[in-house]
Amino acid sequence: MSLSYREKTVWVSLLVSLILASYFGSQLQALFSVGPAVDATAVSALLLKIVIAFIVVEVVMHALLAMEEQEGADEPEDEREATFRFRANEWGYWCLSIGVIICIINELMNKQLAEGAAISDNPFFQSFGLAPLELKLVIVFWLSEIVRFSAHLYYYRKGE
């Protein structure tokens, strides 16, 4: 079974997201393993580098994919593909919604805790639990996109 152009673009987006997310995660873990005093400038710089890398790699990969002769690339999306996209968006939306609620609850709990109260004995969890809300929301967004891409591919492969 050959892949359609739209399915290939979803694969590219998923793989780029997973590769950059794993790099970002390993760099964050290294930053947070230092202890509760994580340098906000270092986290911001890392986040900026990852966002720029994501945009550049996505654009380049999709441009390379578009250069190939693609059967059906210029055809409008059919009803089946639209259904796959809507179902996948629903999974991504639920992941994003739950993640945002968890971030808000975490922020409310952090405000209730006394200064320096530990979330766990593990320095990574201490630092990440007390990390800026913006960073947590970016991670939740990224996870929701990975869930959305994965669900989209699942529906393509399942074919219903």
Side-chain angles (χ1 to χ4, degrees):
M1 180 176 180
S2 102
L3 300 177
S4 70
Y5 173 74
R6 287 186 184 85
E7 188 176 358
K8 288 178 186 178
T9 62
V10 175
W11 271 110
V12 165
S13 294
L14 176 64
L15 293 175
V16 168
S17 293
L18 287 173
I19 291 168
L20 290 177
S22 64
Y23 173 76
F24 181 63
S26 68
Q27 296 299 310
L28 275 179
Q29 185 174 11
L31 284 173
F32 286 137
S33 65
V34 174
V38 176
D39 182 20
T41 307
V43 173
S44 297
L46 175 62
L47 185 58
L48 183 63
K49 283 193 299 189
I50 293 295
V51 168
I52 290 170
F54 182 78
I55 292 168
V56 168
V57 173
E58 277 278 320
V59 167
V60 168
M61 294 300 292
H62 280 88
L64 290 173
L65 191 59
M67 283 183 198
E68 288 183 13
E69 180 70 27
Q70 296 293 331
E71 183 177 324
D74 55 351
E75 293 178 10
E77 183 178 58
D78 65 12
E79 187 176 319
R80 183 182 72 98
E81 289 174 327
T83 302
F84 295 165
R85 186 172 42 83
F86 289 137
R87 286 181 179 174
N89 286 346
E90 190 174 293
W91 280 98
Y93 172 78
W94 276 106
C95 181
L96 182 64
S97 299
I98 291 168
V100 167
I101 290 169
I102 289 170
C103 287
I104 291 169
I105 290 171
N106 179 254
E107 285 298 305
L108 292 173
M109 288 173 56
N110 285 345
K111 290 185 189 277
Q112 297 297 319
L113 294 174
E115 262 316 297
I119 293 171
S120 164
D121 291 339
N122 185 321
F124 173 75
F125 289 114
Q126 289 176 3
S127 299
F128 188 76
L130 300 173
L133 177 63
E134 298 84 4
L135 177 62
K136 294 175 197 171
L137 290 174
V138 167
I139 291 170
V140 165
F141 173 74
W142 211 329
L143 288 174
S144 72
E145 284 294 288
I146 289 172
V147 166
R148 184 175 66 90
F149 294 142
S150 299
H152 202 163
L153 290 172
Y154 169 77
Y155 289 122
Y156 264 118
R157 295 286 93 199
K158 188 176 174 188
E160 62 171 51

